[in-house]
Amino acid sequence: QAQLVQSGAEVKKPGASVKVSCKASGYSFTDYYIHWVRQAPGQGLEWMGRINPHNGGANSAQKFQGRVTMTRDTSITTAYMEVSSLRSDDTALYFCARENLSGGERTYHWFDPWGQGTLVTVSS
Amino acid sequence: DIQLTQSPSFLSASVGDRVTITCRASQGISRYLAWYQQKPGKAPKVLIYAASTLEGGVPSRFSGSGSGTEFTLTISSLQPEDFATYYCQQFNDYPYTFGQGTKLEIK
């Protein structure tokens, strides 16, 4: 079955960068977009952006543009998200998720599966 | 950006109760809406997509309805494992925004 496995927890200092990986298995990696969602402690879910593994095309939410870079390596079916210029409010659990599409007259979307999450802590 | 507003933000209920959570969109999103359940420290799990289509393996006590700007998630008879936080998400347009969440607690 489809599965996404993320890299381990990270502790970074303010101003540093972090790169989180998301290893896909059990499906054709290039057929589905991968999205990134974060969740600050005690807060809700925030969509950050997505990458098309087929061609590497990516777009991110406006608040993250210029600070978030999404890439992929198709040879190892892994997506990456790098966040630069980290601040304390970037402390969060970061998830990757696969976008599913329905068939039929209209195409509907949902996220499944999700990775297990990667905790990024930004602290001096 | 499309804003999703869930109500209530907190809900206290008992096992066996019927509960309904509402998600309102700031503009029409047709039926491009999914519902997720999240437990502490875990990834969200999809329950419903296309506003009312139950994901495979999800118990039939969960149901969704709505289109346009107003949507509901109903749990017909709460079970102990249903106490969690629920989120709606729209797929009408980027960014794919989420509602702020509804925390369902045991009364």
Side-chain angles (χ1 to χ4, degrees), chain A residues 33 35 37 39 43-47 50 59 61 93 95 99 102 106-112 114-115, chain B residues 30-32 34 36 38 41-46 49-50 55 87 89 91 94-100:
Chain A
Y33 288 2
H35 294 250
V37 175
Q39 185 170 40
Q43 302 302 307
L45 301 169
E46 182 176 31
W47 183 83
R50 64 87 173 161
N59 64 288
L93 190 56
F95 296 100
E99 179 181 345
S102 68
R106 284 197 176 188
T107 300
Y108 294 100
H109 313 244
W110 67 100
F111 287 175
D112 183 66
W114 294 63
Chain B
S30 186
R31 298 175 60 83
Y32 296 109
Y36 301 90
Q38 188 183 33
K42 300 295 187 183
K45 171 190 169 185
V46 65
Y49 63 91
E55 171 72 336
Y87 293 92
Q89 182 189 19
F91 290 91
Y94 285 119
Y96 287 167
T97 45
F98 292 89
Q100 83 279 11

Side-chain angles (χ1 to χ4, degrees), chain A residues 77-99:
Chain A
T77 65
T78 299
Y80 302 91
M81 184 186 63
E82 184 171 21
V83 184
S84 61
S85 303
L86 287 165
R87 308 185 289 253
S88 58
D89 62 359
D90 290 317
T91 294
L93 190 56
Y94 289 76
F95 296 100
C96 60
R98 186 185 78 169
E99 179 181 345

Side-chain angles (χ1 to χ4, degrees), chain B:
Chain B
D1 296 0
I2 297 172
Q3 308 300 318
L4 297 181
T5 303
Q6 291 181 229
S7 59
S9 295
F10 298 93
L11 182 55
S12 182
S14 301
V15 172
D17 284 353
R18 177 185 179 91
V19 298
T20 297
I21 299 167
T22 298
C23 176
R24 289 186 174 88
S26 59
Q27 64 188 72
I29 59 170
S30 186
R31 298 175 60 83
Y32 296 109
L33 188 102
W35 289 96
Y36 301 90
Q37 176 193 69
Q38 188 183 33
K39 297 186 177 179
K42 300 295 187 183
K45 171 190 169 185
V46 65
L47 302 172
I48 285 166
Y49 63 91
S52 62
T53 301
L54 200 65
E55 171 72 336
V58 174
S60 59
R61 63 181 179 272
F62 292 92
S63 64
S65 66
S67 67
T69 61
E70 186 153 336
F71 303 85
T72 59
L73 172 70
T74 298
I75 310 172
S76 60
S77 178
L78 277 172
Q79 299 302 300
E81 60 269 29
D82 299 337
F83 292 94
T85 301
Y86 294 84
Y87 293 92
C88 56
Q89 182 189 19
Q90 65 82 20
F91 290 91
N92 188 76
D93 199 7
Y94 285 119
Y96 287 167
T97 45
F98 292 89
Q100 83 279 11
T102 295
K103 187 173 184 178
L104 179 52
E105 298 180 324
I106 300 174
K107 184 182 286 184

Side-chain angles (χ1 to χ4, degrees), chain A residues 10-14 18 38-43 46 67 83 86-94 118-124:
Chain A
E10 303 264 12
V11 179
K12 296 291 184 181
K13 294 192 180 303
V18 67
R38 77 177 185 180
Q39 185 170 40
Q43 302 302 307
E46 182 176 31
R67 216 162 60 88
V83 184
L86 287 165
R87 308 185 289 253
S88 58
D89 62 359
D90 290 317
T91 294
L93 190 56
Y94 289 76
T118 296
L119 181 62
V120 175
T121 303
V122 183
S123 174
S124 55

